[in-house]
Amino acid sequence: MKIWLDDTRDPESPVEGVRRQPYMRGRPDADAQGWTWIRTAPEAIALLSTVEVEEVSLDHDLGNGPSVGNGNQVLVWLEEAALTNDDYWPPLIHVHSGNQSAREKMDLGLEALLRRLAARGEAPPPGPRRPPAILPTGRVFGSDEER
């Protein structure tokens, strides 16, 4: 499964607007096929907790309301899962947010996660990744610190 987290943009329509900005961030339009469109962070985390996932692409801003969360919360969840489960490898992670400052923050978090995974000294297993054995519980959706 491939998870596309975005509240408004359909993964199978990766261009929109007057400027036709590519939301797949440099990937071919054909890469937009086969994604499961998820609109909230809790939905994405629920899937990552229960099914095998090969890729996840994250938007940051997911609309109004504390219960929808944001894409960075999913990234933090993946990081916590990887750091508390030595045998867990997160799926391939992309950030496609149009929010420049949030995207930069998420890109830095992703780079840090990849460095930590590389320090394990082993290659990730091929194919979809199993859910982590121990699920992170440290984040509460809607808290001010998560915004």
Side-chain angles (χ1 to χ4, degrees):
M1 169 181 278
K2 298 191 301 184
I3 297 173
W4 174 270
L5 177 63
D6 201 302
D7 60 327
T8 59
R9 294 177 294 221
D10 182 338
E12 295 192 8
S13 299
V15 292
E16 70 178 38
V18 176
R19 298 181 328 169
R20 296 187 59 78
Q21 180 178 2
Y23 291 111
M24 298 299 281
R25 289 191 73 191
R27 289 179 279 158
D29 287 353
D31 285 354
Q33 303 302 310
W35 293 82
T36 299
W37 187 6
I38 302 299
R39 291 177 175 85
T40 70
E43 288 176 295
I45 289 171
L47 282 177
L48 288 162
S49 301
T50 57
V51 301
E52 290 186 348
V53 176
E54 59 186 297
E55 284 185 73
V56 61
S57 191
L58 305 171
D59 183 19
H60 182 271
D61 302 330
L62 301 175
N64 296 324
S67 64
V68 298
N70 63 58
N72 193 59
Q73 290 170 319
V74 177
L75 183 60
V76 168
W77 187 93
L78 286 163
E79 181 178 21
E80 289 179 13
L83 297 178
T84 57
N85 293 271
D86 288 337
D87 62 340
Y88 174 69
W89 287 86
L92 182 60
I93 303 167
H94 308 281
V95 177
H96 68 262
S97 180
N99 178 330
Q100 181 69 30
S101 61
R103 186 175 68 227
E104 289 174 7
K105 175 183 174 181
M106 291 173 71
D107 284 342
L108 289 172
L110 179 55
E111 289 172 17
L113 172 58
L114 294 176
R115 280 194 306 273
R116 288 179 173 172
L117 290 171
R120 289 182 178 176
E122 58 188 64
R129 309 301 163 78
R130 293 185 324 273
I134 301 169
L135 301 177
T137 58
R139 301 293 175 191
V140 176
F141 288 98
S143 67
D144 288 337
E145 69 184 59
E146 292 298 319
R147 295 183 169 248

